[in-house]
């Protein structure tokens, strides 16, 4: 299996909105897997609703800085009309919005050599401008060379892990979309996000150039 | 039938699962129910029996959602829905609240329908729990999950329609009957801590744990502290009284809760320190505000130590006894609005372990000063000793030097507060030295015997500062606290012995 890492730095602020928060806007601590696949799909220039990337890769996440949160009062525009005609004005609603301040994440992707090479080149020369969270929240991406990766067992690691672990932030993160006609549903994964300590305990991980990473 | 509900890792839903477990358990009906760290399991062959149990717990606990109010003129007793309950209400019939939610208005029929739906397998995926289900009982709405509202822009996934343009397919329908039932019944939870400010907002506190067992234990422990039949607040003043506390804000409410928990409850090992604080506004649009508060072990330790060794309750014996006195002797002596704000801010500063902000709250302000009785002052000194000095490794003798200089600052600031403000605003140790130099200069102008100050304390403070340069900000904040304290005493005409 091949894999590589890329570092995502959100230039200023971003929100990874929880899909079940609409009377306020709460944010996940890390970008959901669906969001990361969205960035990759965008770089590859795939069309809307093209979910092929879901089948191509496995993903690992490592937060790189202490993630600060803050809250603002945001004016959220309400959608009007059917979408058939151009709509000029929209009513709005004030709402509390949680946002993350300049978060940085190392994202690890793994899969077949050909697919990984494609994604690597796409992220270096994306087809469209790349953003994460909101469509006006641009990102700075730094890619690292693909390497061959292998399974390993580690007793100590620092990355997002599957399941519930002590001294971590526990979140249920959207993992993939399931499409049935015009309906979408979400599959979630419960993850543990490390705060400042390494995980102690045996886990099946992958070795990316000496870094032990759990892949989802 | 078997119902399995795994932990959601969601504040509302996890409290709701715990609540459902407690309600069924407390009903003392014979049913196989089990809650372990990560899952609630209900096992029964008697679906009708389960429906009966659910229906009766809804009817028996309906009082948690309402308060009874006696009309002063007519003497009639009417029901009022608690201000924070986000279930829509119809027109009252004979003074009885009519909920627009079938599970509360027709529990028998509604629970029966829900259990029928739960029993069937389906292919739809629930947007809240991620499990598959057959058909929703109701859409995802604020009544069953307070973090949502009807807003199309945020509730759909873009997709094609007729291959021509993009439309939204809302996912409100993707809400399983189990999540609906669990979420909507959370309003029956008598262990939600609340404080309502009429016409403004209600604040709710929900404890958060990463496992059900600790959540059950903690909520079980603090349950007796709450009185669910009061409209505006449910923290009892005393365990055996119905009267509840009138705290000025969210942090003071939580602080008040903790001091009662630590003193009045015979707790075992579990003390919750992670809280979700939800603010529900008055008015028709219920866009809620939400924040998490994670208290540190060290702050809990300070509260425990103060209660354990000195029986001092930080809120009741200190913050609640702090006032803002107005300088104008002819008008009202206390500015109650500002007093409430200061009490709230002091509670916040303490709970988030921000001594800097705490000390600034005690500074004199335009038109008056913060004051308290000599007993409260002693409690404040005990708090400062345990909260700051012990950790810093500064002895009680060294505190004498800080107090001495505080007294000097108070005396030289009597007619001119700029020095005290300058002291508070120092941003570097160089600024601090400069202020201390200014204090030493001002000493020349005062009558030492009359003012009862001890000039040597300034030398001692300088030495203390040299030995603890890294902690200069702490020393500055302590000096601000004592200067403000002596200023308040001095302007009241001196300390009575």
């Amino acid at each position: 299996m091949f894999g590589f890492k890329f570092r995502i730095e959100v230039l200023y602020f971003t929100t990874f909105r929880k899909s079940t928060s609409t009377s306020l806007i709460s944010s996940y601590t890390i970008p959901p897997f669906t969001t990361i696949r969205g960035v990759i799909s965008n770089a590859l220039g795939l069309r809307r609703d093209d979910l092929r990337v879901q089948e191509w890769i496995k993903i690992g996440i490592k937060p790189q800085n202490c993630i600060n949160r803050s809250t603002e009062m945001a004016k959220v525009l309400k959608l009007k009309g059917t979408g058939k005609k151009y709509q000029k004005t929209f009513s709005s609603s004030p709402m509390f919005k949680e946002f993350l301040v300049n978060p940085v994440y190392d994202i690890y992707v793994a899969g077949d050599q050909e697919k990984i090479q494609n994604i690597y080149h796409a992220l270096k020369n994306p087809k469209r401008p790349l953003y994460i969270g909101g469509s006006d929240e641009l990102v700075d991406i730094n890619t690292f060379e693909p390497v061959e990766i292998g399974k390993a067992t580690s007793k100590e690691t620092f990355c997002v892990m599957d399941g519930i672990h002590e001294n971590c932030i526990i979140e249920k993160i959207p993992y993939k979309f399931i499409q049935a006609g015009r309906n979408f549903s979400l599959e979630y994964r419960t993850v543990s996000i490390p705060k400042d300590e390494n995980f102690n305990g045996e886990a099946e991980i992958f070795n990316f150039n000496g870094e032990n990473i759990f892949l989802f | 039938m078997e119902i399995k509900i795994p932990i959601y890792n969601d504040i509302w839903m996890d409290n709701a699962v715990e609540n459902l477990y407690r309600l069924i358990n407390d009903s003392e009906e014979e049913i196989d129910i089990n809650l372990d760290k990560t899952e609630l399991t209900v096992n029964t062959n008697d679906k009708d029996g389960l429906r009966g149990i659910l229906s009766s717990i809804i009817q028996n606990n309906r009082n948690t959602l309402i308060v009874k109010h006696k009309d002063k003129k007519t003497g009639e007793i009417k029901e009022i829905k608690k201000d924070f309950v986000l279930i829509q209400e119809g027109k009252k019939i004979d003074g009885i609240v009519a909920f627009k939610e079938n599970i509360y208005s027709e529990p028998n029929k509604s629970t029966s329908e829900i259990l029928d739906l739960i029993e069937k397998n389906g292919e739809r995926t629930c947007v809240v729990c991620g499990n598959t289900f057959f058909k929703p009982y109701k859409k995802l709405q604020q009544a069953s999950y307070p973090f949502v509202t009807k807003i199309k822009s945020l509730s759909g996934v873009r997709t094609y329609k007729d291959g021509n343009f993009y439309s939204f397919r809302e996912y409100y329908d993707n809400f399983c009957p189990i999540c609906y039932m669990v979420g909507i019944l959370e309003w029956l939870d008598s262990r939600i801590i609340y404080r309502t400010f009429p016409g403004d907002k209600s604040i709710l506190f929900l404890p958060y744990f990463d496992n059900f067992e600790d959540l059950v234990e903690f909520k079980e422990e603090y349950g007796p502290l709450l009185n669910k039949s009061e409209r505006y607040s449910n923290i009892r003043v005393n365990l055996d009284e119905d009267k509840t506390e009138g705290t000025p804000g969210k942090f003071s409410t939580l602080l008040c809760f903790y001091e009662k928990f630590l003193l009045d409850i015979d707790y075992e090992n579990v003390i919750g320190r992670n809280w979700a604080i939800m603010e529900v506004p008055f008015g028709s649009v219920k866009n809620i505000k939400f924040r998490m508060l994670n208290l540190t072990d060290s702050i809990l330790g300070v509260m425990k130590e103060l209660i354990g060794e000195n029986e001092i309750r930080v809120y009741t014996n200190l913050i609640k006894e702090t006032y803002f006195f107005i300088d104008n002797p002819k008008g009202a002596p206390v500015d109650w609005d500002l007093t409430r704000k200061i009490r709230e801010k002091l509670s916040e500063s303490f709970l988030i372990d921000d001594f800097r902000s705490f000390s600034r709250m005690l500074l004199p302000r335009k038109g008056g000063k913060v004051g308290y009785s000599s007993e409260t002052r002693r409690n404040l000194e005990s708090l400062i000793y345990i909260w700051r000095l012990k950790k810093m490794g500064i002895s009680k003798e060294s505190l004498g030097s800080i107090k001495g200089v505080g007294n000097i600052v108070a005396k030289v600031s009597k007619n001119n507060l700029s020095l005290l403000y300058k002291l508070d605003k120092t941003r570097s140790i160089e600024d601090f030295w400069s202020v201390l130099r200014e204090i030493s200069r001002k000493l020349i102008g005062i009558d030492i015997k009359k003012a009862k100050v001890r000039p040597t304390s300034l030398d001692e403070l300088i030495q203390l500062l040299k030995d603890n340069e890294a902690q200069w900000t702490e020393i500055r904040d302590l000096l601000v606290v004592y200067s403000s304290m002596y200023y308040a005493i001095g302007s009241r005409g001196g300390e009575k012995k």
Side-chain angles (χ1 to χ4, degrees):
Chain A
M1 196 143 75
F2 273 76
F4 73 98
K5 139 175 136 175
F6 60 98
R7 180 164 295 173
I8 290 187
E9 182 179 352
V10 181
L11 295 180
Y12 306 105
F13 311 104
T14 195
T15 302
F16 304 119
R17 186 175 72 85
K18 293 182 180 173
S19 52
T20 49
S21 67
T22 52
S23 69
L24 80 163
I25 297 176
S26 311
S27 177
Y28 293 113
T29 308
I30 54 171
F33 300 100
T34 46
T35 305
I36 294 166
R37 291 199 199 95
V39 174
I40 294 169
S41 302
N42 200 17
L44 289 163
L46 299 186
R47 292 179 62 142
R48 192 192 296 262
D49 297 345
D50 190 334
L51 301 174
R52 276 178 292 169
V53 175
Q54 286 191 161
E55 315 306 324
W56 292 353
I57 52 167
K58 282 182 171 289
I59 298 172
I61 306 171
K62 187 200 265 190
Q64 276 302 313
N65 57 356
C66 175
I67 295 159
N68 296 313
R69 283 168 189 268
S70 195
T71 307
E72 64 175 349
M73 177 68 97
K75 196 167 95 169
V76 177
L77 295 182
K78 290 182 174 174
L79 190 78
K80 282 174 77 182
T82 58
K84 287 178 182 171
K85 281 184 189 169
Y86 173 69
Q87 198 80 31
K88 200 174 178 185
T89 54
F90 295 90
S91 55
S92 63
S93 170
M95 203 176 273
F96 291 101
K97 182 181 178 185
E98 201 174 46
F99 60 88
L100 310 177
V101 183
N102 186 215
V104 183
Y105 307 96
D106 276 356
I107 308 292
Y108 300 79
V109 291
D112 288 349
Q113 188 174 8
E114 187 193 343
K115 297 275 190 296
I116 288 300
Q117 285 293 350
N118 279 348
I119 294 171
Y120 171 74
H121 290 299
L123 286 172
K124 284 200 101 118
N125 298 293
K127 292 264 170 60
R128 294 190 285 257
L130 299 183
Y131 61 88
I132 200 163
S135 55
D136 53 355
E137 286 150 358
L138 299 179
V139 288
D140 189 11
I141 290 193
N142 193 5
T143 46
F144 295 77
E145 288 287 328
V147 288
E148 194 165 356
I149 59 166
K151 269 187 190 172
T153 309
S154 166
K155 285 196 172 175
E156 217 172 64
T157 179
F158 186 89
C159 66
V160 175
M161 297 287 282
D162 196 20
I164 299 170
H165 296 264
E166 277 183 9
N167 301 322
C168 291
I169 301 166
I170 316 267
E171 286 184 355
K172 207 173 197 175
I173 305 271
Y175 179 64
K176 67 194 281 194
F177 287 115
I178 301 155
Q179 189 179 359
R182 277 183 63 221
N183 286 319
F184 284 88
S185 53
L186 269 175
E187 184 184 321
Y188 291 92
R189 290 291 279 266
T190 299
V191 301
S192 295
I193 304 155
K195 286 192 238 172
D196 37 28
E197 291 168 27
N198 281 350
F199 283 110
N200 283 317
E202 218 153 269
E204 198 174 79
I205 46 88
F206 286 82
N207 190 306
F208 281 75
N209 249 353
E211 290 182 85
N212 294 329
I213 300 296
F214 186 90
L215 291 177
F216 291 85
Chain B
M1 68 187 296
E2 187 183 54
I3 302 175
K4 282 189 169 187
I5 310 175
I7 194 162
Y8 286 82
N9 299 302
D10 177 289
I11 303 282
W12 183 260
M13 296 307 286
D14 286 346
N15 273 281
V17 174
E18 183 277 340
N19 176 56
L20 183 66
Y21 168 74
R22 183 191 58 88
L23 288 174
I24 295 177
N25 237 6
D26 288 357
S27 70
E28 290 177 357
E29 300 281 350
E30 274 193 20
I31 188 163
D32 180 8
I33 183 166
N34 181 50
L35 186 77
D36 61 21
K37 280 192 167 184
T38 58
E39 195 170 61
L40 172 76
T41 321
V42 183
N43 246 315
T44 180
N45 293 323
D46 180 9
K47 197 173 80 179
D48 255 3
L50 179 60
R51 179 196 46 74
I53 292 168
L54 288 170
S55 171
S56 69
I57 60 173
I58 293 167
Q59 282 161 332
N60 297 341
N61 291 281
R62 190 177 165 276
N63 275 350
T64 313
L65 311 173
I66 50 142
V67 283
K68 300 229 166 109
H69 175 75
K70 193 176 178 182
D71 194 299
K72 278 182 189 165
K73 284 181 187 167
T74 60
E76 196 187 346
I77 294 175
K78 278 185 180 174
E79 284 186 359
I80 298 174
K81 185 182 74 154
K82 281 183 187 167
D83 306 271
F84 58 83
V85 173
L86 293 169
I87 303 171
Q88 286 192 325
E89 185 189 358
K91 200 177 177 193
K92 283 195 184 94
I93 304 159
D94 299 329
I96 306 286
V97 169
F99 289 108
K100 280 187 183 172
E101 201 70 43
N102 288 346
I103 198 163
Y104 288 111
S105 55
E106 296 173 278
N108 222 345
K109 187 176 165 226
S110 184
T111 45
S112 172
E113 288 168 5
I114 292 171
L115 290 177
D116 284 346
L117 289 172
I118 290 174
E119 226 176 4
K120 292 177 184 163
N121 293 322
E123 286 178 358
R124 300 173 77 156
T125 309
C126 176
V127 74
V128 175
C129 66
N131 294 329
T132 53
F133 67 102
F134 172 63
K135 210 170 106 183
Y137 178 74
K138 270 200 101 172
K139 286 181 179 181
L140 180 60
Q141 284 175 328
Q142 203 161 30
S144 45
Y145 191 69
F147 309 120
V148 294
T149 186
K150 238 180 178 175
I151 180 163
K152 214 174 171 187
S153 336
L154 297 178
S155 325
V157 178
R158 287 178 178 85
T159 183
Y160 289 108
K161 188 180 179 184
D162 308 328
N164 290 323
F165 62 91
Y166 298 117
S167 71
F168 286 81
R169 184 77 176 186
E170 289 179 41
Y171 50 67
Y172 278 122
D173 275 347
N174 299 341
F175 188 46
C176 72
I178 292 182
C179 288
Y180 168 76
M181 184 177 74
V182 170
I184 194 85
L185 296 185
E186 171 58 4
W187 298 111
L188 298 178
D189 190 348
S190 57
R191 275 87 41 83
I192 296 177
I193 300 169
Y194 60 82
R195 174 82 177 101
T196 292
F197 299 96
D200 184 16
K201 63 188 170 194
S202 294
I203 300 160
L204 311 183
F205 299 86
L206 294 166
Y208 178 66
F209 285 90
D210 61 7
N211 70 83
F212 283 137
E213 282 174 359
D214 288 348
L215 185 65
V216 168
E217 195 175 334
F218 183 54
K219 285 175 89 170
E220 193 74 46
E221 282 171 347
Y222 76 68
L225 288 175
L226 308 178
N227 170 15
K228 66 177 179 182
S229 50
E230 285 292 317
R231 182 173 180 184
Y232 297 123
S233 161
N234 66 341
I235 299 179
R236 292 177 196 271
V237 174
N238 288 309
L239 264 184
D240 48 1
E241 274 181 45
D242 280 347
K243 202 179 163 200
T244 54
E245 291 278 359
T247 41
K250 53 177 174 259
F251 293 99
S252 46
T253 305
L254 198 57
L255 185 56
C256 182
F257 163 79
Y258 266 109
E259 62 178 30
K260 287 177 199 301
F261 179 79
L262 295 171
L263 193 63
D264 298 335
I265 299 293
D266 197 10
Y267 58 89
E268 295 289 325
N269 297 318
V270 180
I271 305 177
R273 51 188 190 89
N274 301 324
W275 293 89
I277 305 176
M278 281 165 57
E279 285 184 27
V280 180
F282 270 60
S284 54
V285 181
K286 302 288 192 189
N287 282 347
I288 64 165
K289 197 175 176 183
F290 177 86
R291 72 167 282 178
M292 290 292 299
L293 181 68
N294 306 318
L295 299 178
T296 59
D297 286 338
S298 119
I299 278 297
L300 276 174
V302 173
M303 282 194 269
K304 274 190 213 168
E305 202 172 333
L306 271 168
I307 283 172
E309 285 180 13
N310 312 296
E311 289 216 354
I312 297 170
R313 301 177 181 219
V314 181
Y315 178 71
T316 308
N317 304 130
L318 204 172
I319 293 175
K320 204 177 166 187
E321 294 298 322
T322 303
Y323 303 88
F324 187 80
F325 292 102
I326 306 167
D327 280 341
N328 175 17
K330 285 179 186 169
V334 175
D335 180 336
W336 286 107
D337 272 355
L338 192 51
T339 295
R340 290 173 76 79
K341 277 180 194 156
I342 289 171
R343 287 177 184 174
E344 175 61 10
K345 197 75 193 164
L346 285 172
S347 307
E348 178 181 359
S349 313
F350 175 69
L351 282 178
I352 62 173
D353 202 1
D354 182 354
F355 185 56
R356 170 95 181 115
S357 163
F358 188 90
S359 67
R360 299 188 89 171
M361 277 300 112
L362 300 175
L363 276 171
R365 294 161 194 225
K366 201 179 176 185
K369 69 218 152 270
V370 178
Y372 25 73
S373 67
S374 52
E375 194 188 337
T376 309
R377 182 164 54 82
R378 278 194 294 277
N379 293 340
L380 176 62
E381 288 190 21
S382 303
L383 169 73
I384 288 170
Y385 177 68
I386 293 170
W387 185 15
R388 311 314 295 180
L389 294 173
K390 249 184 159 181
K391 269 191 251 168
M392 289 162 68
I394 292 179
S395 65
K396 279 191 172 171
E397 291 73 44
S398 303
L399 182 62
S401 317
I402 300 173
K403 284 161 84 171
V405 177
N407 195 16
I408 295 171
V409 176
K411 293 285 156 44
V412 299
S413 301
K414 199 174 179 184
N415 296 316
N416 180 11
L417 276 169
S418 62
L419 189 66
L420 185 44
Y421 293 142
K422 204 186 262 184
L423 171 69
D424 171 59
K425 286 199 166 67
T426 48
R427 288 187 176 175
S428 64
I429 192 161
E430 287 74 24
D431 291 349
F432 194 34
W433 287 126
S434 161
V435 172
L436 288 178
R437 218 178 113 170
E438 209 170 314
I439 294 167
S440 70
R441 276 204 227 106
K442 297 256 182 188
L443 254 180
I444 300 164
I446 58 171
D447 184 338
I448 290 169
K449 276 190 183 170
K450 209 175 159 188
K452 291 181 185 163
V453 292
R454 194 166 59 86
T456 48
S457 57
L458 196 57
D459 302 333
E460 291 161 10
L461 180 74
I462 291 167
Q463 200 50 52
L464 180 70
L465 204 50
K466 276 186 174 173
D467 296 341
N468 299 278
E469 245 186 81
Q471 290 173 315
W472 78 270
T473 51
E474 284 278 335
I475 295 171
R476 174 201 58 198
D477 295 339
L478 285 167
L479 192 53
V480 169
V481 171
Y482 283 105
S483 304
S484 307
M485 188 188 278
Y486 285 115
Y487 179 84
I489 295 170
S491 58
R492 278 211 320 268
E495 190 178 1
K496 285 177 190 167
K497 300 236 169 173

